[in-house]
Amino acid sequence: MIDKSSPLPIYYQIEEQLKRQIENGELKPNDSLPSEREFAERFEISRMTVRQAINNLVNDGYLYRQKGRGTFVSEKKLEQQLVGLTSFTEDMKARGMVPSSKLLSFEIIAASEKIAEQLHISLHAPVYEIKRIRLADDVPMALESVYVSANLVKGLTESIVNDSLYRYIEEELGLKIGEANQTLESILASETEVKHLRISSYSPVLLIQRNTYLQDGTPLEVVKSSYRADRYKFTINMTRS
Ligand code: 16G
């Protein structure tokens, strides 16, 4: 079902067709795909074109490759319930995955007007800026920038943020995390996100912005996270009053 007269590139048509088959269950997780050669013969196109389509689907998380065995359909997206106020480490452990982080930057900076206002601290007060890639079973899931007041979250180190920020805040500092406001929107991945999340250019990502407060109302953190839209699905339960 390839339309060679269409203005849509052939690799793109193959990608869309395979995505549809994955979404409607015709292709199931861990099903193996025909080889590049078989694909090329079936559609009468070059192997290069097939490879491009498959590469894009591998990058987008729809397919995965196994050396010497072939290409397979990936597991479904991670479904994340938007209910409790949890950390990335807790979320991944709860689903039996191994969380890890790749620290991109860890610095004390002077609070900008916007950050100072949100953290209720003075302009230029010291703030930790922590940029991390969050991974689950070694797959990059989100790119996250966290801002916390250095006078509130004292003694942060690189090894702490390579582990769990919430664990340190609660267990080591004894601070009580209370609630958070969060927004979720779809945006086009920036170049940085494309690079670190290993997604293709022009992919959408889910931008989540969170403002977290301690139980006494003190602002704790300002967070901006970009989640891979190809690996994540957020669900909400609603009750009609
Ligand atoms: C989550 C939170 C983030 C928090 C982090 C702590 C979202 C959108 N963000 O990524 O606000 O700072 O967890 O994680 O859920 P950690 O305890 O694993 O370091």
Side-chain angles (χ1 to χ4, degrees), residues 23-204:
E23 270 148 26
N24 67 24
E26 240 173 276
L27 282 172
K28 300 205 166 41
N30 305 314
D31 275 359
S32 77
L33 248 66
S35 69
E36 279 177 14
R37 186 181 47 78
E38 285 170 299
F39 255 120
E41 279 169 10
R42 189 191 301 170
F43 295 120
E44 298 177 323
I45 52 176
S46 78
R47 282 177 68 163
M48 277 276 286
T49 307
V50 176
R51 191 166 312 148
Q52 187 172 2
I54 307 259
N55 279 347
N56 288 346
L57 291 172
V58 168
N59 291 339
D60 288 352
Y62 285 94
L63 304 176
Y64 67 94
R65 284 202 179 93
Q66 261 189 0
K67 249 204 169 124
R69 291 193 55 218
T71 308
F72 303 85
V73 178
S74 300
E75 295 290 340
K76 286 237 165 63
K77 290 182 183 180
L78 292 189
E79 209 163 324
Q80 171 87 45
Q81 282 255 8
L82 290 175
V83 272
L85 174 47
T86 50
S87 72
F88 184 83
T89 302
E90 291 162 344
D91 289 340
M92 294 311 125
K93 284 189 175 163
R95 37 168 64 95
M97 300 178 99
V98 179
S100 61
S101 295
K102 185 163 181 268
L103 196 54
L104 297 178
S105 74
F106 177 77
E107 287 180 68
I108 292 192
I109 58 164
S112 66
E113 206 174 316
K114 214 167 143 193
I115 296 289
E117 193 188 310
Q118 293 182 78
L119 290 178
H120 294 183
I121 55 175
S122 23
L123 181 67
H124 303 152
V127 162
Y128 283 108
E129 181 189 59
I130 307 148
K131 294 190 175 174
R132 297 181 285 181
I133 305 173
R134 312 302 312 258
L135 305 98
D137 289 346
D138 293 326
V139 178
M141 291 291 169
L143 191 66
E144 188 174 78
S145 304
V146 181
Y147 298 87
V148 289
S149 160
N151 293 321
L152 179 66
V153 184
K154 294 195 175 107
L156 267 187
T157 61
E158 292 197 8
S159 78
I160 292 166
V161 296
N162 267 323
D163 180 39
S164 166
L165 179 64
Y166 277 16
R167 196 198 61 74
Y168 177 73
I169 289 171
E170 292 180 319
E171 291 175 21
E172 306 292 327
L173 297 179
L175 299 172
K176 305 252 178 285
I177 301 177
E179 57 175 24
N181 296 325
Q182 196 164 290
T183 60
L184 199 160
E185 60 196 295
S186 169
I187 57 163
L188 214 54
S190 66
E191 269 177 42
T192 318
E193 286 153 353
V194 164
K195 180 173 132 209
H196 293 305
L197 296 176
R198 299 188 217 137
I199 52 180
S200 36
S201 305
Y202 309 111
S203 310

